[in-house]
Amino acid sequence: MSTAPVPSSVRDAGPVVLEIVEGTLASVEREVETAIARTSRSPMIRDAHDFRAGIHDRRLRKLTGRSYSALVHPVARDFPLETMRPGDVFFHNDVYESEGGIGHLPDLCVTVPVFHDDGDGRGPRVVAFVQAFGHHDDIGGACPGSMPSGATSVFEEGLMVPPIRLWDQGVPNRAALRIMTRNSRMPESLAADLDAECSACLMGARRLADLFRRYGRATVEACFDAILDKTTETYRREILAKIPDGSYVWEDYAEHDGVDPPRLHTQRITLTKPPDRIVIDFTGTSPQARGPINHCGDYADGNFLKKWLAPVLRNPADTPERMAELDVNEGVVPLIEMRFPPKGTLLTPVFPAPTNARTFVILRLLGVLAGVLAKAVDGRMPADQETIRYTGVHGTDAAGVPYLMREVLGGGSGGRPHADGEDTVHIVPDSRNLPTEFTESRFPFLVERLGLAVDSGGPGLHRGGLGYEKHIRMLRDARFMSVADRSILACWGVRGGRAGRPFQVTIDPGGPNEREMAGLVDGEPVRAGEVIRIRTTGGGGWGDPLDRDVEAVVRDVRCGKVSRAAAFSDYGVVINGPTDAPRHDPAATERQRARLRAERPADRPFFDRGPGYATLSGGAAHAEVDRL
């Protein structure tokens, strides 16, 4: 039982009311997201669920912990709270005017203030905010989808909108909405999605206003303080206490920026652990890229990045079950200090540097923090994962109507100290691949296969999760698009585990026009009848694969997750028997494992980056920071 002192905010609010308020916040957040999913139109929002909601208090602190969200800071900066009125809806998507909360222009953000009248004669005042932001089909720019892989300026990426009052006391600004839809290749979808998001956030604001009316502002705000205090104290007591004081360094890389030839774009973290917090120093991160992989992380003292990276900190929790219980809200912010390099790096780009593929940086930072923590806690962290990439096709259907099908496909998560990685994980909460029945009925192609990519998970005592394998046969000429990293570099393994398989797209596999695609592609022509084969990344392995339980390898072979060849070469397990009833040869397995142990070098590094690293490093098999 915890002996931590009870925060005064808990005593002020009372435990029963605190539980009600906390549950109401979670319920409202879910209700807002459900309303958006049911009333939006675009596949990215309605079907793939690439959006999320958040609830913030009047001090701009994020209260909910189910999913990350954007920031209210830019709205409050440009529109003081005392100028806001009931029925107002604010909108923005400008990366450089978002205080770090928006990463690329297709992420459109809607913010609605919540009002309460204290009865003191001053009228309704802002007491909270409901916000939603998500990835929309198209906001203009140089290519369908507004993510041009060769962009060298943000001006090529679409329409930029700084914070504006989109609804004024319940009246929509039709002129602004018309400007936005006029710039989109998918105007009907964009209009419907914005209407869904505005309506859902207004509904959420009404729900929260009811909460304030029921309990009063002082009580509800005391509960807000208690929720955040609890998070702060929990992370300090259960997480930070498990990280040894000291300083640790690690780095990882994006492999290409869409403009220059592939090379190592470094993201480095020096983690320093004094007793009361962690300090994350990004010094050593590469200069900003010419292409669109930059991310504006240094605004608002890194407030967005702190909450983006904080889920990684949950891993040292006592049990996996306890880890899943830990929310990430504004309560983590006081525990993290961020130090950024001067302007002009991947994390501190200078306007108008392009940013549409900034996922390469912010996803990699999750892995860099996991890696540097692995050095601090003797590997008791998951191996690497790369669980997001955009693929799609665009063209015209049989009626001559333009279409865009874009999908966010997940990948395998890393093996963990206690278990294998999960297969086909999606990093956005509740996101998913597009249903085959939906895509085949709406777009001119057939999905001939959707399953697991065999052998994609990194070998290990605990195997990395598997990625997708998807085959799409085009019925009409079209163009293929991809925004993906890890097509050369792989998801790293740790503590003896090996790297997973990288991302791969092959068009017309086995046919006369077979060709491999780079990770960043805007408009590769695909003829009617050709197949697009997509294989997403597998997670890295954890621990020595030669120590993996033999029966677990046999089970993987029986389930089609590991081939017999990989069982032999990666795990040293000799498999015999029929396909539906494989079995291992104990004597041959013992000999094979002994041979593999004898052949490998004794001074292997703590991290395994896979063979792709040597391609970009000038032949080096690993980086200097890969050793303990």
Side-chain angles (χ1 to χ4, degrees), residues 137-138 140-149 156-157 185 394 481 522-523:
D137 272 345
D138 189 277
C143 73
S146 309
M147 297 180 69
S149 62
E156 301 169 59
E157 298 178 321
R185 296 171 179 84
H394 57 90
M481 63 188 303
D522 279 346

Side-chain angles (χ1 to χ4, degrees), residues 28-297:
V28 170
E29 184 180 70
R30 286 182 179 272
E31 189 174 3
V32 169
E33 292 196 357
T34 300
I36 292 171
R38 288 182 175 177
T39 58
S40 57
R41 177 168 176 174
S42 69
M44 287 290 284
I45 301 294
R46 182 186 62 198
D47 302 286
H49 203 275
D50 190 4
F51 71 95
R52 70 254 359 137
I55 299 173
H56 309 252
D57 69 4
R58 63 184 174 87
R59 295 165 60 186
L60 317 184
R61 302 178 301 177
K62 184 176 182 293
L63 301 169
T64 46
R66 178 169 165 263
S67 67
Y68 64 94
S69 60
L71 304 178
V72 182
H73 298 61
V75 175
R77 178 199 65 213
D78 292 357
F79 296 90
L81 271 61
E82 59 270 19
T83 68
M84 297 178 180
R85 299 292 180 266
D88 284 355
V89 177
F90 299 92
F91 172 90
H92 71 283
N93 78 323
D94 188 321
V95 172
Y96 288 90
E97 293 284 335
S98 73
E99 298 294 329
I102 297 294
H104 57 185
L105 296 181
D107 281 351
L108 310 183
C109 185
V110 168
T111 306
V112 172
V114 180
F115 290 85
H116 175 71
D117 190 340
D118 283 331
D120 57 3
R122 298 173 60 185
R125 285 180 290 175
V126 175
V127 290
F129 295 90
V130 179
Q131 190 177 73
F133 88 112
H135 191 136
H136 294 70
D137 272 345
D138 189 277
I139 194 70
C143 73
S146 309
M147 297 180 69
S149 62
T152 58
S153 165
V154 72
F155 294 112
E156 301 169 59
E157 298 178 321
L159 181 68
M160 291 181 284
V161 184
I164 63 170
R165 200 186 308 261
L166 188 61
W167 288 35
D168 188 345
Q169 300 183 73
V171 180
N173 185 333
R174 299 295 179 188
L177 288 166
R178 187 180 180 194
I179 291 170
M180 286 187 275
T181 55
R182 180 61 175 169
N183 276 270
S184 174
R185 296 171 179 84
M186 306 289 165
E188 293 86 3
S189 292
L190 179 59
D193 289 350
L194 283 174
D195 186 58
E197 289 156 356
C198 291
S199 299
C201 287
L202 285 165
M203 177 270 295
R206 291 194 297 272
R207 298 286 188 271
L208 287 181
D210 289 340
L211 183 69
F212 277 89
R213 277 193 294 272
R214 182 177 180 184
Y215 294 105
R217 182 168 64 89
T219 297
V220 174
E221 290 189 339
C223 290
F224 290 172
D225 290 339
I227 290 168
L228 303 186
D229 289 346
K230 181 175 67 173
T231 297
T232 303
E233 292 306 315
T234 298
Y235 273 79
R236 180 178 286 122
R237 183 176 66 255
E238 298 187 26
I239 302 298
L240 266 60
K242 291 183 172 64
I243 303 172
D245 291 357
S247 186
Y248 313 89
V249 182
W250 203 64
E251 66 187 33
D252 205 358
Y253 317 93
E255 63 194 27
H256 56 137
D257 72 348
V259 175
D260 293 327
R263 63 181 177 86
L264 298 177
H265 296 267
T266 304
Q267 289 131 80
R268 172 178 282 229
I269 286 178
T270 299
L271 176 72
T272 303
K273 170 57 173 54
D276 60 338
R277 68 191 190 286
I278 61 171
V279 180
I280 298 176
D281 190 334
F282 298 106
T283 300
T285 294
S286 288
Q288 71 183 48
R290 286 211 299 153
I293 66 172
N294 307 290
H295 176 68
C296 299

Side-chain angles (χ1 to χ4, degrees), residues 436 440 445-450 470-475 529 531:
T436 296
E440 288 186 341
F445 60 71
L446 297 176
V447 178
E448 296 189 339
R449 170 182 166 84
L450 177 60
K470 187 168 188 174
H471 297 186
I472 300 173
R473 185 177 297 276
M474 300 307 304
L475 301 180
V531 169

Side-chain angles (χ1 to χ4, degrees), residues 445-465:
F445 60 71
L446 297 176
V447 178
E448 296 189 339
R449 170 182 166 84
L450 177 60
L452 298 177
V454 180
D455 291 336
S456 57
L461 170 67
H462 300 300
R463 173 182 45 74

Side-chain angles (χ1 to χ4, degrees), residues 395-411:
T396 56
D397 61 20
V401 177
Y403 72 88
L404 167 66
M405 189 290 293
R406 186 171 52 184
E407 184 172 25
V408 181
L409 283 175

